[in-house]
Amino acid sequence: MEQEKYLELKKGERGAIISIVAYLCLSALKLTVGFFTNSEALKADGLNNTTDVLASIVVLIGLKLSQKPADRDHPYGHWKAETVASMVSSFIMMAVGIEVLYAAATTMLNGRSVSPDPIAAVTGLFCAIVMYVVYRNNRKLAEKINSQSVMAAAKDNLSDAWVSIGTAIGIIGAQFQLPWLDPVTAIVVGLLICNTAWDIFRSASHSLTDGFDVKEMHSFKNTIEEIPGVKGIKDIKARNYGNSAVVDVVILVNSTLNIRDAHDVATKVENELIKKHDVFDVHVHVEPN
């Protein structure tokens, strides 16, 4: 079981690497075209992608660190390194989002009289298609290996696809004697970056503070209560270690059961949670009732 989790983290590296390569290529394209076509929105989008390179590198490092086995001062392993990586990447994204907002607002206040070249809009639409393909790949991978950091990368990919579409719309609108629409779109880009950063931060901080999905916990309880020999659940807790869930549960069994039979019931609880919900580890305490 543990070896399978490490292999899943290894697969997650592929998603981070694909994102890094895509962002490097697209950021270079957007910044170059944005510079020569005088598009603030496209340059803002390109700057966003350069930050995404850093964020994806952080995710890749987190995935690698998560694969380290338990040691003397990390008896539970290094699973949470993946979640820490997601939080760090959200900080990077937020910093750039604020920078984009500042630059766009400054340009708008100073005024501008030149509309971007239409080629900038074509570039934005092309990049949107590329990022959507990357998003689909990373989302599928994240769901397969249940990786929070890869899913964060996928959310970033989708956000970038929408940002590029918005960028193209702003540039096209600027062709109709509305040059101010381009920096306005850059402001929207900045807000989208900040929103995605906040979403990733909230998810990572929830996991790091041992928060857990209430609906999933309810599903655990239903599974346990259906197991023969379990008379009730006195207490149940769960937490995440990266892409691994750990459950602690206190079950009630018939007071007439001997130690061996009570142990068998506890073993059934462990096996069912692992089998049905892909729980990494289960700690069951038995109390007579």
Side-chain angles (χ1 to χ4, degrees):
M1 183 69 175
E2 186 171 346
Q3 187 61 33
E4 289 179 5
K5 291 294 183 181
Y6 286 132
L7 289 175
E8 289 177 349
L9 289 172
K10 192 69 177 178
K11 292 178 182 178
E13 293 180 17
R14 185 184 67 189
I17 292 172
I18 290 175
S19 292
I20 291 171
V21 173
Y23 284 135
L24 282 172
C25 295
L26 296 185
S27 63
L29 178 62
K30 291 176 183 177
L31 290 173
T32 301
V33 175
F35 177 78
F36 285 108
T37 59
N38 298 308
S39 173
E40 291 298 325
L42 194 61
K43 285 189 285 186
D45 197 2
L47 181 59
N48 172 37
N49 287 160
T50 60
T51 309
D52 292 324
V53 173
L54 297 176
S56 295
I57 289 175
V58 170
V59 169
L60 181 60
I61 293 173
L63 286 167
K64 286 186 174 294
L65 289 176
S66 295
Q67 295 172 50
K68 294 177 63 178
D71 54 30
R72 186 174 180 180
D73 57 347
H74 291 86
Y76 291 101
H78 297 75
W79 306 104
K80 287 193 175 183
E82 181 189 2
T83 312
V84 172
S86 296
M87 178 170 283
V88 172
S89 67
S90 73
F91 292 151
I92 297 173
M93 289 176 63
M94 183 63 75
V96 172
I98 293 173
E99 173 60 27
V100 168
L101 286 172
Y102 176 78
T106 301
T107 300
M108 191 172 181
L109 290 174
N110 290 338
R112 59 178 297 156
S113 58
V114 181
S115 295
D117 191 286
I119 192 65
V122 176
T123 302
L125 290 174
F126 168 75
C127 293
I129 294 172
V130 173
M131 286 316 305
Y132 183 74
V133 172
V134 174
Y135 155 72
R136 290 293 297 270
N137 176 78
N138 282 345
R139 187 189 69 174
K140 183 178 180 180
L141 179 61
E143 290 174 346
K144 182 178 180 180
I145 66 176
N146 190 31
S147 171
Q148 185 178 32
S149 62
V150 177
M151 183 58 79
K155 288 181 180 179
D156 191 22
N157 299 149
L158 181 60
S159 174
D160 290 324
W162 283 113
V163 166
S164 293
I165 291 174
T167 297
I169 292 173
I171 295 170
I172 292 171
Q175 306 305 309
F176 297 94
Q177 307 304 317
L178 298 171
W180 52 266
L181 192 57
D182 186 54
V184 165
T185 305
I187 291 177
V188 175
V189 169
L191 291 174
L192 285 172
I193 296 170
C194 291
N195 181 69
T196 302
W198 170 251
D199 185 43
I200 294 173
F201 169 80
R202 184 174 57 184
S203 177
S205 60
H206 182 258
S207 180
L208 288 172
T209 54
D210 285 342
F212 200 81
D213 190 329
V214 175
K215 291 182 179 179
E216 191 171 4
M217 185 83 76
H218 185 68
S219 181
F220 291 166
K221 292 176 68 175
N222 288 338
T223 297
I224 296 171
E225 289 171 346
E226 292 175 357
I227 296 173
V230 176
K231 296 188 65 177
I233 299 174
K234 183 176 182 180
D235 188 31
I236 182 170
K237 298 182 180 70
R239 57 195 184 281
N240 285 311
Y241 282 105
N243 65 344
S244 304
V246 177
V247 178
D248 296 286
V249 59
V250 178
I251 61 172
L252 301 175
V253 299
N254 196 311
S255 59
T256 61
L257 290 181
N258 58 42
I259 295 177
R260 182 181 294 278
D261 290 337
H263 179 268
D264 288 342
V265 174
T267 300
K268 289 179 182 178
V269 171
E270 294 175 5
N271 292 338
E272 282 298 301
L273 288 179
I274 292 172
K275 178 182 177 181
K276 289 188 176 181
H277 303 280
D278 195 30
V279 173
F280 177 70
D281 196 15
V282 185
H283 303 284
V284 182
H285 178 72
V286 179
E287 287 192 7
N289 182 38

